[in-house]
Amino acid sequence: YALAVQTNGGILVGGAFTTLGGQPHGRLGRLNSDGSVDAGFNPVVSNTVICLALQADGKILVGGAWVGINGTTRQYLARLNTDGTLDTAFDPGANSAVMSIAVQPDGGLVVGGLFTMLAGQGANHLGRLTANGSYDWSFSSDADNQVLCLALQPDGKILVGGLFKSLGWTACNYAGRLNSD
């Protein structure tokens, strides 16, 4: 369900699989640039990985329909270090699946999904976190139904797609665009 290319050429692969290249992998793995499996990268996610994003420092954001990673409880959203170990300082949590993540130039994280709570705050299917995972109160938008995909435009505006009929308190069917705030 998800791919991301690291600056070193590593290819992160996320989904519902339990093997990758014939080797056991718990729904998340990394391929070398030649397509071979990176056996040294083997985090274990308890259920389906739906989205991946990379931060400027190389850390890996993982979202999906799961509640544990590397044997530690995490609610649908986690951050891994570049070697696949869990970044224990990042634990915002959501109350349902995270379907999309976009990293803004300032390091902020726009998150979309099925959730109505993000980092312990009310966030209807869409919210923003600071780079450290705390809820960003300056971002004021929501959707009346699931947000399934996000993309950033060069001017900072946020493209949003999903099953909603209202985005940011404005009627729009399934796709819309928000200002960066």
Side-chain angles (χ1 to χ4, degrees):
Y1 294 111
L3 297 168
V5 180
Q6 297 176 297
T7 57
N8 67 358
I11 304 163
L12 298 169
V13 181
F17 56 86
T18 55
T19 62
L20 183 62
Q23 300 175 24
H25 274 76
R27 298 167 190 90
L28 181 60
R30 181 167 58 202
L31 302 174
N32 296 310
S33 59
D34 66 0
S36 63
V37 175
D38 180 348
F41 183 89
N42 198 3
V44 177
V45 183
S46 66
N47 209 332
T48 306
V49 171
I50 297 171
C51 58
L52 297 166
L54 297 172
Q55 292 184 292
D57 62 2
K59 290 191 177 186
I60 305 160
L61 298 160
V62 182
W66 47 267
V67 294
I69 193 162
N70 289 346
T72 302
T73 299
R74 287 291 186 269
Q75 298 292 317
Y76 308 104
L77 179 61
R79 182 168 63 197
L80 302 177
N81 297 306
T82 57
D83 64 358
T85 59
L86 183 65
D87 180 350
T88 58
F90 183 89
D91 187 15
N95 68 342
S96 192
V98 170
M99 306 298 285
S100 54
I101 306 166
V103 180
Q104 294 179 301
D106 68 357
L109 312 173
V110 181
V111 181
L114 284 61
F115 56 83
T116 56
M117 299 283 291
L118 182 64
Q121 305 302 319
N124 289 322
H125 311 289
L126 183 65
R128 186 177 190 272
L129 303 171
T130 64
N132 69 8
S134 61
Y135 190 79
D136 183 350
W137 289 95
S138 70
F139 184 87
S140 62
S141 192
D142 70 353
D144 68 349
N145 206 334
Q146 300 171 22
V147 170
L148 302 176
C149 55
L150 297 165
L152 298 178
Q153 292 185 290
D155 64 1
K157 291 185 179 176
I158 306 161
L159 299 172
V160 184
L163 302 179
F164 51 84
K165 301 259 181 155
S166 172
L167 180 64
W169 308 282
T170 302
C172 68
N173 292 321
Y174 311 114
R177 184 170 64 182
L178 300 170
N179 292 316
S180 62
D181 63 354

